């Protein structure tokens, strides 16, 4: 068990490691050769140019020769705090700004709690000598915990009163923060620039019809059921053709979902070959006297020598033909069209009504939901049939259960490292080495935390793969699902697993020589004493880990390797820069673990709180700097994740109350139990209040807000071409490559010249209450307008 000296050694190691990371970052960030690594966000926005291309001296292009800049190596900290929040939202988006508020939430909750606990609770715990006569294995730090209070003591009323105080304070801060974030979200949606997802609904599980294609079926369904908001029908096919029914009233735009995964592979291959072709063409321009050549064998080391430009030109032409052939397959094969579509309306109000209502008598068909932002769409999963989603999610749930269960094995190994006595008993020949003072402190104070960090290294990737397998259609949904499972995993394994297995290892001898009825009491005393393990983990993950995040060692190495061996063009150099993202699926569950530890140990072992406060303060500064200068968020969900943040903090609060209740029951403080039962009930009522009051702002779009936004937009932009804004919004990324721009422009000119006719298999689809499977007609633009003008 880690002693005060072991914690000191661990703190010294982690503080020195963090300082080393900060110093290395301060030196590396001002070197011109690393500019793209540490300021990629400004390059993406086009507000920063590379210092390597200016006219300065050769040496100064790679090394900063300004000695004064080295004396200001900590200027990045105040600079990260200077940007006001409204400007930060404009610069990085609401998601990033609200994500930072999670760290502020931690400071707001634990700052006053730590001050109160150290003022009141630490003296109460310290003024006893219970552990000295208990026969348990303990350290000096454990004397500051509730374990040092004698059984049946009246001093437990102090912990009970403070438990109420901490609960009320936490709930107040949570409510206040929920209210602020909900207001920020509504204000952002009201003042944000026009976005395609505000007008678009995703329709899934379109029922099959033997007489009609998906295109015609979706068109007719919305013509009948949304007559005043759906009048124009647009279908993007792989041959870039378009069918359209315009109207003088309003319009809606339909983009069907295609399974374009194979086409995506061809387009990516063509992109790589085109990059090589550009490289050799640039090389030939620099030296027109010599045509570049290459060998066709493995890695260009052997084989026939051919003209490089002609070689890659022929490959590009072949891939272009393959892409056209793949498109022809789509145009002739209706199976390539998935029973889903993006339907865009002329008004936000019309989209809100469609997205938030049931569309048919059968609640399992014509399912509508708000379409993700175009950048947020995970296109690969749109090709998964809707009926398979339930099966996939069941399989993923079973796999997650076994993953969680079997991960107890490495957790037990980590806890064995935290107990020197267990190691010495299992490996007695190591005892002389382990008993060396520094090695002993290193093993107990540093090694368990770093070992647990290593075991958790690949977990986020596994959980993200499971989320993708489940079939979620947006990146934000994938990250939220992965974050939810990561949090549950950490709660079961890192928190409960560490407590249970750690207690078993530490008090093994005591378990063996006592009656079964006394084991719960031993566990109740030992739970607060596991705070020393979590302190070491917080220092490794929350101190050194956060400092390592700002260094960006992995992106730095990868960038320079790519720049040295793979970069052939300026476009390659831009793609070699990996700005990264916040990583909500990994970052938020880690933060929630600190909330859980802080709330659980605030009453039982408050010595842990300063370590958590240091983490929140340090992480806030570091991640604010990263969001301003580095991270480039892939999507914008308008802080849709905040309800998840709120409910997990509430869950941590309830867990802390239940554990305190169980702990006091082992201390024979039976009088406090009825009062403690009230706390979880009050907390659940508080959560239900917040869920009903604030959560609707995150899952539904008020019709009042939609109408207000539509009215203001019509007043300001009476001649807005919304169709032109929406028609290319939800096209698979493979169709947006540069080589398709010409064909798209040609198609647009064809649309203008083509007559406004749509062949259908129904008569008067717009005005018949029930669809007909017989008959066919061609509806012209004049006919539609005449029908619309009828009273």
């Amino acid at each position: 068990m880690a002693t005060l000296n072991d914690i000191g050694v661990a703190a010294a190691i982690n503080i020195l490691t963090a300082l080393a990371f900060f110093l290395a970052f301060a030196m590396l960030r001002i070197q011109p050769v690393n500019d793209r690594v540490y300021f990629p966000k400004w390059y993406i926005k086009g507000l920063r140019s590379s210092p390597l291309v200016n006219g300065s001296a050769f040496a100064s292009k790679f090394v900063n020769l300004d000695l004064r800049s080295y004396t200001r190596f900590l200027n990045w900290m105040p600079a990260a705090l200077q940007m006001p929040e409204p400007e930060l939202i404009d610069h990085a988006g609401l998601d990033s700004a609200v994500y930072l508020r999670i760290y502020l939430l931690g400071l707001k909750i634990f700052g006053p709690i730590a001050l109160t606990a150290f003022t009141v609770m630490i003296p109460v715990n310290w003024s006893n000598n219970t552990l000295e006569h208990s026969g348990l294995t303990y350290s000096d730090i454990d004397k500051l915990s509730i374990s040092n209070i004698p059984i049946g003591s009246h001093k437990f009323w102090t912990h009970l009163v403070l438990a109420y105080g901490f609960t009320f304070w936490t709930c107040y801060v949570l409510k206040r923060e929920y209210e602020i974030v909900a207001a920020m979200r509504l204000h952002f949606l009201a003042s944000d620039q026009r976005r395609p997802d505000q007008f678009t609904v995703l329709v899934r599980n379109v029922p099959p019809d033997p007489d009609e294609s998906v295109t015609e079926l979706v068109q007719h369904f919305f013509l009948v059921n949304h007559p005043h908001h759906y009048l124009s029908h647009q279908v993007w096919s792989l041959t870039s053709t378009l069918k359209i029914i315009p109207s003088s009233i309003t319009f809606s735009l339909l983009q069907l979902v295609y399974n374009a995964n194979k086409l995506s592979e061809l387009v990516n291959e063509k992109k790589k070959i085109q990059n090589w072709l550009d490289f050799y063409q640039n090389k030939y321009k620099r030296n027109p006297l010599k045509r570049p050549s290459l060998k066709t064998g493995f890695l260009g080391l052997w084989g026939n020598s051919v003209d490089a430009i002609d070689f890659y030109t022929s490959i590009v032409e072949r891939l272009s033909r393959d892409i056209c052939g793949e498109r022809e397959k789509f145009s002739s094969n209706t199976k390539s069209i998935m029973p889903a579509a993006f339907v865009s309306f002329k008004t936000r109000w019309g989209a809100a009504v469609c997205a938030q209502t049931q569309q048919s008598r059968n609640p399992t068909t014509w399912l509508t939901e708000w379409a993700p932002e175009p950048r947020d769409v995970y296109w690969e999963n749109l090709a998964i049939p809707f009926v398979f989603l339930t099966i996939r999610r069941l399989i993923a749930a079973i796999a997650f259960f076994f993953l969680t269960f079997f991960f107890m094995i490495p957790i037990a190994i980590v806890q064995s490292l935290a107990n020197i006595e267990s190691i010495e008993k299992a490996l007695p020949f190591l005892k002389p080495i382990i008993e060396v003072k520094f090695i002993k402190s290193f093993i107990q104070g540093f090694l368990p935390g770093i070992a647990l960090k290593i075991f958790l290294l690949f977990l986020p990737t596994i959980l993200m793969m499971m989320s993708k397998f489940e079939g979620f259609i947006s990146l934000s949904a994938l990250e939220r699902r992965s974050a939810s499972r990561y949090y549950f995993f950490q709660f079961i394994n890192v928190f409960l697993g560490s407590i249970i297995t750690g207690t078993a290892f530490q008090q093994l001898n005591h378990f063996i020589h006592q009656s079964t009825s006394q084991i719960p009491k031993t566990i109740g005393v030992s739970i607060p004493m596991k705070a020393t393990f979590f302190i070491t983990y917080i220092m490794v993950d929350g101190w050194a880990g956060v400092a390592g995040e700002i260094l960006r060692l992995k992106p730095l190495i990868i960038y320079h390797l790519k720049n040295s061996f793979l970069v052939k063009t300026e476009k390659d150099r831009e793609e070699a820069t990996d700005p990264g993202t916040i990583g909500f699926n990994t970052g938020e569950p880690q933060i929630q673990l600190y909330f859980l530890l802080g709330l659980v140990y605030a009453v039982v072992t408050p010595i842990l709180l300063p370590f958590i406060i240091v983490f929140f303060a340090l992480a806030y500064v570091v991640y604010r700097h990263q969001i301003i200068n580095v991270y480039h968020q892939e999507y914008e969900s308008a802080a849709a994740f905040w309800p998840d943040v709120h409910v997990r903090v509430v869950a941590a609060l309830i867990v802390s109350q239940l554990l305190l209740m169980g702990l006091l029951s082992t201390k024979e403080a039976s009088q406090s139990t009825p009062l403690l039962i009230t706390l979880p009930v009050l907390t659940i009522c508080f959560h239900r209040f917040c869920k009903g009051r604030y959560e609707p702002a995150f899952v539904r779009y008020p019709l009042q807000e939609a109408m207000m936004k539509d009215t203001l937009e019509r007043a300001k932009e009476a001649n807005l071409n919304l169709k032109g804004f929406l028609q290319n919004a939800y096209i698979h990324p493979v169709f947006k490559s540069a080589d398709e721009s010409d064909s798209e422009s040609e198609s647009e000119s064809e649309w203008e010249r083509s007559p406004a006719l749509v062949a259908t298999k129904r008569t008067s689809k717009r005005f018949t209450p029930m669809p007909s499977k017989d008959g066919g007609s061609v509806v012209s633009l004049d006919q539609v307008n005449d029908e619309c003008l009828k009273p």
Side-chain angles (χ1 to χ4, degrees):
M1 179 177 293
T3 63
L4 186 62
N5 183 63
D6 300 335
I7 297 296
V9 171
I13 293 174
N14 286 285
I15 290 173
L16 291 176
T17 302
L19 288 176
F21 285 156
F22 285 139
L23 286 173
F25 164 72
M27 299 297 107
L28 292 172
R29 68 186 288 268
I30 60 177
Q31 308 305 322
V33 72
N34 299 325
D35 204 58
R36 283 186 178 272
V37 178
Y38 293 108
F39 301 96
K41 192 176 188 70
W42 299 101
Y43 281 90
I44 294 173
K45 286 180 170 288
L47 301 176
R48 193 180 184 97
S49 58
S50 176
L52 302 180
V53 297
N54 57 28
S56 58
F58 178 78
S60 62
K61 289 183 179 181
F62 299 94
V63 180
N64 190 343
L65 301 180
D66 183 7
L67 298 181
R68 291 176 297 178
S69 63
Y70 291 91
T71 63
R72 302 188 296 268
F73 65 94
L74 290 179
N75 280 5
W76 64 271
M77 287 189 176
L81 300 174
Q82 288 175 357
M83 182 178 288
E85 190 172 63
E87 185 178 344
L88 180 65
I89 294 174
D90 293 336
H91 175 70
L94 184 64
D95 280 345
S96 299
V98 172
Y99 183 82
L100 289 174
R101 295 191 71 91
I102 305 178
Y103 297 107
L104 291 180
L105 178 67
L107 293 174
K108 292 176 183 177
I109 290 176
F110 292 116
I113 287 179
L115 182 62
T116 305
F118 270 74
T119 304
V120 179
M121 207 173 306
I122 291 292
V124 172
N125 294 338
W126 180 260
S127 59
N128 299 277
N129 56 1
T130 303
L131 288 175
E132 296 178 3
H133 306 289
S134 64
L136 298 172
T137 304
Y138 70 95
S139 66
D140 293 337
I141 294 179
D142 299 322
K143 293 181 179 181
L144 304 177
S145 72
I146 197 174
S147 298
N148 203 33
I149 304 292
I151 294 176
S153 173
H154 292 291
K155 292 183 179 181
F156 287 120
W157 284 101
T158 305
H159 301 82
L160 177 64
V161 172
L162 287 181
Y164 268 86
F166 294 166
T167 297
F168 290 153
W169 171 251
T170 303
C171 290
Y172 169 76
V173 175
L174 282 174
K175 176 187 175 298
R176 180 62 180 160
E177 202 66 22
Y178 213 153
E179 185 178 6
I180 292 173
V181 174
M184 291 173 64
R185 173 179 168 86
L186 292 176
H187 180 268
F188 178 80
L189 294 177
S191 60
D192 187 28
Q193 294 182 351
R194 188 184 312 107
R195 299 192 312 179
D197 54 296
Q198 296 171 344
F199 301 86
T200 307
V201 172
L202 175 62
V203 183
R204 307 184 74 180
N205 212 26
V206 177
D209 191 320
D211 295 336
E212 288 191 317
S213 65
V214 175
T215 303
E216 295 167 331
L217 189 60
V218 174
Q219 171 194 346
H220 295 151
F221 180 86
F222 283 93
L223 283 174
V224 171
N225 297 286
H226 295 268
H228 300 295
H229 299 276
Y230 179 93
L231 288 179
S232 179
H233 171 70
Q234 178 178 340
V235 178
W236 281 90
S237 71
L238 298 186
T239 53
S240 298
T241 60
L242 182 73
K243 299 176 182 179
I244 187 167
I245 301 179
S247 171
S248 60
I249 299 179
T250 181
F251 78 88
S252 174
L253 177 147
L254 169 67
Q255 294 175 354
L256 293 184
V257 177
Y258 295 88
N259 186 351
N261 293 343
K262 183 176 181 181
L263 181 63
S264 177
E265 297 176 1
L266 292 174
V267 172
N268 291 334
E269 179 66 20
K270 181 181 177 182
K271 183 179 177 181
K272 295 177 183 178
I273 299 301
Q274 184 66 47
N275 202 34
W276 278 106
L277 179 60
D278 294 340
F279 168 71
Y280 283 111
Q281 286 176 339
N282 293 335
K283 185 177 181 181
Y284 179 63
K285 289 178 181 178
R286 290 192 297 267
N287 186 13
L289 299 179
K290 182 180 180 181
R291 296 272 296 184
S293 62
L294 59 83
K295 294 182 179 180
T296 58
F298 178 72
L299 296 178
L301 300 177
W302 57 74
N304 299 328
S305 181
V306 297
D307 186 280
I309 296 178
D310 294 340
F311 177 75
Y312 283 114
T313 300
S314 62
I315 297 179
V316 169
E317 292 175 351
R318 177 179 58 80
L319 289 173
S320 297
R321 291 192 298 269
D322 293 343
I323 291 174
C324 291
E326 187 67 21
R327 289 184 166 188
E328 290 296 331
K329 291 181 182 179
F330 278 97
S331 62
S332 59
N333 183 13
T334 57
K335 293 183 179 179
S336 63
I337 302 178
M338 305 307 299
F342 290 105
V343 180
S344 297
F345 294 80
K346 186 178 182 180
T347 62
R348 297 172 180 83
W349 190 91
V353 170
C354 181
Q356 298 168 178
T357 55
Q358 182 173 318
Q359 300 301 309
S360 68
R361 293 179 179 178
N362 185 351
T364 63
T365 61
W366 294 104
L367 303 178
T368 57
E369 59 183 289
W370 280 108
E373 184 194 10
R375 296 178 302 168
D376 192 18
V377 178
Y378 187 68
W379 295 94
E380 286 79 357
N381 281 356
L382 285 175
I384 300 175
F386 187 83
V387 294
F388 292 159
L389 294 182
T390 303
I391 300 174
R392 283 171 168 261
R393 289 172 187 177
L394 177 61
I395 295 173
I398 296 173
F400 178 70
F401 170 79
F402 284 105
L403 177 66
T404 305
F405 178 78
F406 285 110
F407 207 85
M408 281 290 185
I409 298 173
I411 292 295
I413 295 174
V414 169
Q415 288 303 320
S416 68
L417 294 175
N419 187 27
I420 290 291
E421 291 77 10
S422 299
I423 298 177
E424 291 179 346
K425 290 178 181 178
L427 303 171
F429 61 90
L430 293 178
K431 186 174 182 178
I433 301 176
I434 294 176
E435 288 298 328
V436 176
K437 188 173 183 180
F438 176 77
I439 295 178
K440 185 176 182 179
S441 298
F442 177 81
I443 292 175
Q444 289 192 316
F446 182 76
L447 192 58
I450 195 67
L452 181 58
K453 182 73 175 175
I454 293 173
F455 278 124
L456 294 175
L457 196 60
F458 299 102
L459 180 63
T461 303
I462 298 173
L463 295 179
M464 180 57 73
M465 292 172 60
M466 293 172 64
S467 298
K468 291 178 179 179
F469 176 79
E470 288 184 88
F472 292 97
I473 60 168
S474 65
L475 297 174
S476 57
L478 287 172
E479 291 198 340
R480 289 199 297 270
R481 180 65 165 181
S482 181
S484 176
R485 284 194 163 149
Y486 195 11
Y487 172 74
F488 183 78
F489 182 93
Q490 291 199 112
F491 174 74
I492 296 297
N493 284 293
V494 178
F495 180 68
L496 293 181
S498 296
I499 289 177
I500 295 172
T501 58
T503 301
F505 276 113
Q506 290 173 2
Q507 312 301 339
L508 183 60
N509 183 63
H510 207 68
F511 282 160
I512 295 174
H513 297 91
Q514 70 178 178
S515 63
T516 307
S517 61
Q518 297 297 315
I519 290 179
K521 292 184 179 181
T522 303
I523 294 177
V525 174
S526 302
I527 286 177
M529 297 160 59
K530 285 305 299 176
T532 53
F533 165 76
F534 290 117
I535 288 174
T536 62
Y537 179 73
I538 291 170
M539 288 188 292
V540 171
D541 181 71
W543 295 9
V546 170
E549 174 66 25
I550 202 171
L551 183 60
R552 287 177 55 81
L553 187 60
K554 179 181 175 182
L556 177 68
I557 295 174
I558 292 176
Y559 170 77
H560 285 297
L561 287 175
K562 288 183 176 180
N563 196 38
S564 300
F565 301 104
L566 300 179
V567 169
K568 301 176 289 296
T569 63
E570 190 63 28
K571 185 178 180 181
D572 284 346
R573 185 168 288 105
E574 294 176 0
E575 294 178 351
T577 306
D578 178 22
T581 62
I582 293 174
F584 179 83
N585 61 309
T586 57
E588 194 269 345
Q590 284 295 99
I591 302 173
Q592 291 296 342
L593 177 63
Y594 295 121
F595 276 108
L596 176 65
L597 295 175
L599 292 172
V600 167
Y601 283 99
V603 177
V604 298
T605 313
I607 192 64
L608 180 138
L609 293 177
F611 297 91
I612 291 180
I613 291 174
V614 170
F615 159 75
F616 279 117
L618 182 63
Y620 176 74
V621 177
V622 167
Y623 281 97
R624 208 173 200 274
H625 172 274
Q626 298 295 84
I627 285 172
I628 293 173
N629 297 295
V630 181
Y631 297 147
H632 181 65
Q633 197 64 8
E634 295 178 337
Y635 58 86
E636 176 60 59
S637 69
F641 57 80
W642 190 261
D644 296 335
V645 175
H646 175 86
V647 73
R648 284 196 267 271
V649 177
V650 171
L653 190 59
I654 294 174
V655 169
S656 69
Q657 296 160 356
L658 295 177
L659 288 179
L660 179 62
M661 191 186 309
L663 181 61
L664 291 183
S665 67
T666 65
K667 293 286 191 175
E668 298 181 2
S670 57
Q671 295 178 350
S672 63
T673 303
L675 294 175
L676 279 175
I677 292 176
T678 309
L679 271 181
V681 176
L682 293 176
T683 306
I684 292 173
C685 292
F686 164 76
H687 169 64
R688 290 178 64 86
F689 164 77
C690 291
K691 184 179 179 66
R693 174 62 181 85
Y694 301 114
E695 188 172 321
F698 295 85
V699 295
R700 292 192 293 270
Y701 189 40
L703 296 182
Q704 182 185 24
E705 295 285 334
M707 181 62 73
M708 186 185 307
K709 184 72 173 176
D710 290 333
T711 304
L712 290 174
E713 188 174 69
R714 285 194 297 269
K716 293 180 179 179
E717 303 178 66
N719 299 321
L720 172 65
N721 180 19
L722 192 58
K723 182 173 67 175
F725 173 72
L726 293 173
Q727 66 182 7
N728 294 331
Y730 287 93
I731 300 177
H732 197 288
V734 299
F735 303 137
K736 293 185 178 181
S737 55
D739 60 315
E740 301 302 330
S741 58
D742 293 337
S743 61
E744 289 177 2
S745 61
E746 291 174 4
S747 298
E748 290 175 1
S749 61
E750 290 176 4
W751 303 338
E752 296 174 356
R753 295 191 300 266
S754 61
L757 302 175
V758 176
T760 69
K761 295 184 180 181
R762 303 184 183 193
T763 60
S764 187
K765 294 296 180 301
R766 233 196 112 211
F767 307 100
T768 54
M770 294 296 292
S772 170
K773 293 186 178 181
D774 300 317
S777 67
V778 176
V779 183
S780 69
L781 171 60
D782 294 335
Q783 290 173 327
V784 173
N785 287 335
D786 291 340
E787 292 290 336
C788 293
L789 294 175
K790 288 181 180 180

